[in-house]
Amino acid sequence: MPSDALVARGLAKRYGRIHALHDLTLRVERGECLGFLGPNGAGKSTAVKMLVGLVRPTGGAADVLGKPVGDRATRARIGYLPELFRYPDWLAAREVLAFHARLLRLGGAPRAIGEVLDEVGLRERANDRVGTYSKGMQQRLGLAVALLGAPEIVFLDEPTSALDPVGRSDVRALIERLRARGTTVFLNSHLLGEVERVCDRVCIVDRGRVVAEGSVGALTGAARGVRVRLEEGWREFDVAPDEIPALVARLVGEGARIHAVEPNQTTLEDRFLSLVRGA
Amino acid sequence: MNVALFAGLTLRELVRRRLVVAVALLTLVIVAFTAWGLHRLATAVVDGEPIAQPAVRATAAGIVILLAFLFSFVIALGAALVGAPAIAESIANGEILAVLARPVRRAEVALGRWLGTVLALAVYVAVAGGVELLVVRAMTGYVPPQPAVALGYLIGVAAVVTTAATVLATRLPALAAGIIAALLFGLAWIAGIVQSIGLALGNERLADAGTIVALIFPSDALWRGALYALQPAVFTAVAANANASGSGVNPFAVTSPLPPALLAWACGWIVVVLAAGVLAFRARDL
């Protein structure tokens, strides 16, 4: 079994004169969770749609689970939650899942459907029509559809955009469970804090180009010094970690009143903004 | 296999959205109204005498043709309004994205949606048309020459318009695809009249123009096949005499059955246009 779940080589998409995506070269290992970040219009959803075979690339190539994108048999091993979607409002959630189970030729469908309904917390409303669902519930249903059939790789395009804080926390926990099972997760999200918490690696795209890629730690950098909140506000001190107690003692000795001390670390959001705004 | 799945989804949607119930109720109203009118005709007394049976039957034959004409418009509109959204709406609202990420061919989606729509319309034509013809027979004793053939041609009209609506819907929004498909049906009908006028007046250019439109969009050719199957021999003879004498054109009468070559053309047209639509759908970025 190849160790790469996804390999993209110079993947590009042009719509007439508009370049939606340039030269996306990317490798995602099996079991890895990749955060795919970028501002609106950066080409994230286009990239995801190309990787699941809905949009034809105008340049480059990509393999998913060892097969060229769009391979029909491989699509049975892929889960996909689109960014903008709706399910037929006249069907119940259980019927939507049963329909997808038939498309997947899924054996033991009722059990599999029950499992994904539990996974996303929709079992109690499973027999209600989708038309009666809130936006958040529809997003949970979308997640259930994506998880049906225990896919080896899941593409989640803004999976929490319609969810409240509880829902977002549930999705984070869900992604962690997927990772624990060895499922590869390709997470397309605006929510940087979310990505920082659940992803192993991050790829940042802007205006159709990859502007940074690496592990979360490598992108945010190691902590450098501390920030101390004093009466007059925050001050930064460039000290090594083992020098922090002495620094605090010195400041107190000088009569300063200390309200907080925290590592002076670049967050993913800081890094993202510097890359996107600096471009 | 997947074609049947998508056809079944289309049929279930029509039932769940209560379209079937609404159409069934309205059709029942039309059937009841027809039954009442025909009963009044069959029992009418003129100058103290009941209307002669041949006259009742001739009037009933005219009413059947007018009903069939109305029916063909309802079917064409139904094909356009059901066939186009079945594909275009699922593209517009993103419903199709998760579906096509499955091991599914786009051709299966398009053909399944087309099949579901045509099946629904075929059942409607068979049931509503059949009931209407039974009512005519019960009230007046009139039976058209080839009722089953006529219903078959009307199903053909539904298939042609559904094909256009489905194919257009793979590239256009539902409203645009539906309206264009319905307009094509209307244009073909007008072209059929132009062709009749051309033939009656011996004007080859007019007749050829009508023939070309019939080849481009064969719904009217099929409608004329239905018309011939419904009209009694005397109507055919009257129409032929009118053409020969140049005394006028009746758009609701034809002088000959649908040529087998044109029927084969219509069947081939459906296959080729559907195939072209599938290719266009396959090439579309979603």
Side-chain angles (χ1 to χ4, degrees):
Chain A
M1 188 161 67
S3 64
D4 289 324
L6 188 161
V7 180
R9 297 174 295 273
L11 208 56
K13 182 65 188 177
R14 249 174 87 159
Y15 294 100
R17 291 168 60 191
I18 298 167
H19 288 266
L21 195 71
H22 293 269
D23 191 28
L24 176 69
T25 296
L26 188 68
R27 172 163 275 149
V28 183
E29 287 185 15
R30 281 180 184 265
E32 196 176 22
C33 179
L34 179 91
F36 199 59
L37 304 177
N40 288 333
K44 304 187 303 290
S45 289
T46 301
V48 172
K49 284 181 173 180
M50 280 197 281
L51 293 170
V52 297
L54 294 172
V55 168
R56 286 179 180 214
T58 48
D63 293 335
V64 176
L65 302 174
K67 297 281 182 188
V69 283
D71 177 72
R72 207 151 53 86
T74 308
R75 279 189 264 153
R77 297 153 60 202
I78 293 174
Y80 172 48
L81 171 72
E83 182 189 10
L84 299 171
F85 68 96
R86 248 179 54 189
Y87 291 105
D89 55 8
W90 49 274
L91 284 177
R94 198 181 291 281
E95 291 173 317
V96 171
L97 289 163
F99 181 74
H100 278 265
R102 289 185 70 184
L103 293 176
L104 285 168
R105 312 256 190 282
L106 206 60
R111 214 182 95 199
I113 289 169
E115 283 170 4
V116 291
L117 283 168
D118 284 338
E119 193 92 75
V120 301
L122 261 188
R123 190 187 272 271
E124 284 180 15
R125 296 286 308 271
N127 296 321
D128 294 343
R129 287 191 179 191
V130 175
T132 65
Y133 281 16
S134 67
K135 233 175 147 188
M137 289 172 72
Q138 292 201 28
Q139 194 141 31
R140 285 173 185 268
L141 173 59
L143 279 165
V145 170
L147 299 181
L148 193 65
E152 292 167 46
I153 181 167
V154 185
F155 293 88
L156 304 176
D157 198 349
E158 304 289 357
T160 55
S161 58
L163 296 178
D164 58 20
V166 176
R168 287 180 187 174
S169 164
D170 288 349
V171 171
R172 273 200 303 275
L174 172 67
I175 292 173
E176 273 155 19
R177 286 198 297 276
L178 288 172
R179 286 179 59 194
R181 280 182 222 153
T183 307
T184 310
V185 180
F186 191 102
L187 175 62
N188 187 356
S189 177
H190 282 302
L191 300 170
L192 304 174
E194 200 170 271
V195 169
E196 197 167 4
R197 285 164 81 168
V198 297
C199 292
D200 305 297
R201 272 195 317 127
V202 171
C203 175
I204 301 176
V205 285
D206 186 28
R207 297 175 214 180
R209 292 180 189 278
V210 175
V211 290
E213 194 212 326
S215 67
V216 174
L219 280 177
T220 53
R224 183 174 172 77
V226 287
R227 299 168 74 221
V228 180
R229 198 174 139 219
L230 304 167
E231 288 289 300
E232 64 271 26
W234 287 97
R235 275 185 65 192
E236 292 182 5
F237 296 90
D238 189 5
V239 292
D242 60 346
E243 293 170 343
I244 294 170
L247 170 72
V248 172
R250 181 170 62 81
L251 291 171
V252 171
E254 288 170 1
R257 288 166 61 84
I258 296 176
H259 294 267
V261 179
E262 60 181 40
N264 192 14
Q265 186 165 23
T266 308
T267 62
L268 188 58
E269 185 172 342
D270 296 333
R271 181 82 169 119
F272 176 82
L273 290 175
S274 73
L275 284 165
V276 171
R277 285 185 175 155
Chain B
M1 170 68 184
N2 284 338
V3 172
L5 202 56
F6 287 104
L9 188 72
T10 307
L11 292 171
R12 276 166 78 192
E13 182 171 6
L14 294 176
V15 174
R16 290 273 182 95
R17 289 197 187 278
R18 297 179 193 157
L19 193 69
V20 170
V21 173
V23 169
L25 287 175
L26 281 172
T27 305
L28 273 179
V29 170
I30 293 169
V31 168
F33 186 68
T34 312
W36 175 78
L38 290 171
H39 176 71
R40 299 281 297 175
L41 171 73
T43 56
V45 175
V46 178
D47 297 333
E49 294 287 325
I51 299 174
Q53 195 59 7
V56 169
R57 289 189 181 186
T59 310
I63 289 171
V64 164
I65 286 169
L66 282 174
L67 279 172
F69 178 66
L70 171 78
F71 212 49
S72 73
F73 263 87
V74 170
I75 292 161
L77 277 179
L81 297 178
V82 174
I87 292 247
E89 282 291 311
S90 63
I91 295 172
N93 64 26
E95 183 190 316
I96 207 158
L97 298 177
V99 168
L100 289 178
R102 300 293 187 202
V104 172
R105 292 186 178 93
R106 293 191 185 192
E108 293 171 331
V109 178
L111 295 178
R113 290 299 202 169
W114 175 86
L115 182 64
T117 307
V118 171
L119 277 176
L121 290 164
V123 169
Y124 177 67
V125 169
V127 173
V131 168
E132 192 73 84
L133 289 172
L134 285 174
V135 164
V136 172
R137 183 183 167 187
M139 295 297 155
T140 66
Y142 172 71
V143 179
Q146 296 171 290
V149 172
L151 294 180
Y153 280 132
L154 286 173
I155 291 170
V157 171
V160 166
V161 183
T162 304
T163 302
T166 303
V167 168
L168 289 166
T170 60
R171 304 295 292 194
L172 296 175
L175 194 62
I179 288 175
I180 293 171
L183 279 178
L184 286 172
F185 168 81
L187 281 173
W189 183 73
I190 291 168
I193 293 176
V194 168
Q195 186 186 25
S196 301
I197 294 170
L199 288 171
L201 300 178
N203 185 323
E204 281 186 19
R205 281 196 174 178
L206 277 183
D208 288 348
T211 307
I212 289 167
V213 175
L215 292 175
I216 293 172
F217 199 78
S219 62
D220 190 67
L222 294 168
W223 154 244
R224 284 166 176 277
L227 196 50
Y228 186 82
L230 288 175
Q231 69 187 16
V234 65
F235 280 30
T236 310
V238 169
N241 281 339
N243 278 359
S245 63
S247 61
V249 176
N250 177 0
F252 300 108
V254 288
T255 55
S256 57
L258 182 70
L262 201 47
L263 178 61
W265 173 268
C267 295
W269 183 93
I270 290 172
V271 173
V272 170
V273 172
L274 265 182
V278 165
L279 287 176
F281 190 33
R282 279 174 60 183
R284 179 172 177 175
D285 288 331
L286 294 168

